[in-house]
Amino acid sequence: MSVGAHGTDSSSSPRRVCYVYSPGYVEKCDSLSKVPNRASMVHSLIEAYGLLPHMRVLEPAVATTEEMAKFHSDSYLEHLQKISEEGDTDDPLSADYGLGETHGEDLGHAGGTCLSEVESL
């Protein structure tokens, strides 16, 4: 029997740490990051330290517009749709919304990942 940090039997406790992962998701994150290949480096470290068996691995999901509307304003979602369709990351509103170089469809991935994590709890 192994004992966790809080004196609990870690061999019988459920995996409470969730990790959203897929090779395609890591590739997408690598292409968006301000630090090139950051997602790949993080995943490599998780593997190297043998942490994957201690996590529940979740498939990434994409949030629908309806799901995102629960948390964001109509104007924000309209802007996301616009830059997603037009690819216009130079729009001044993007900076106002704190989007930087991120594209609208990428935020659907980020939102879906957050929702997957919350649902797993």
Side-chain angles (χ1 to χ4, degrees):
M1 170 173 76
S2 59
V3 178
H6 299 288
T8 59
D9 177 2
S10 62
S11 62
S12 64
S13 63
R15 293 183 185 142
R16 297 190 57 99
V17 175
C18 295
Y19 175 54
V20 178
Y21 170 78
S22 79
Y25 192 60
V26 168
E27 184 178 326
K28 177 175 272 301
C29 291
D30 279 346
S31 71
L32 297 173
S33 178
K34 292 181 181 181
V35 178
N37 301 312
R38 175 179 22 198
S40 292
M41 288 186 285
V42 168
H43 183 69
S44 294
L45 286 169
I46 288 170
E47 284 183 314
Y49 281 101
L51 299 175
L52 282 174
H54 304 284
M55 300 177 174
R56 203 164 104 211
V57 179
L58 305 174
E59 282 284 319
V62 178
T64 64
T65 301
E66 292 78 24
E67 290 170 325
M68 292 176 66
K70 294 175 185 176
F71 306 99
H72 298 289
S73 68
D74 289 343
S75 61
Y76 177 76
L77 294 174
E78 288 167 8
H79 181 71
L80 289 182
Q81 184 165 358
K82 176 187 171 206
I83 64 171
S84 179
E85 291 171 356
E86 299 174 8
D88 185 8
T89 57
D90 292 334
D91 188 306
L93 272 179
S94 291
D96 291 346
Y97 285 123
L99 297 176
E101 298 177 14
T102 305
H103 303 279
E105 70 273 8
D106 302 322
L107 293 170
H109 287 284
T113 297
C114 291
L115 291 172
S116 296
E117 293 164 342
V118 168
E119 287 173 7
S120 75
L121 298 174

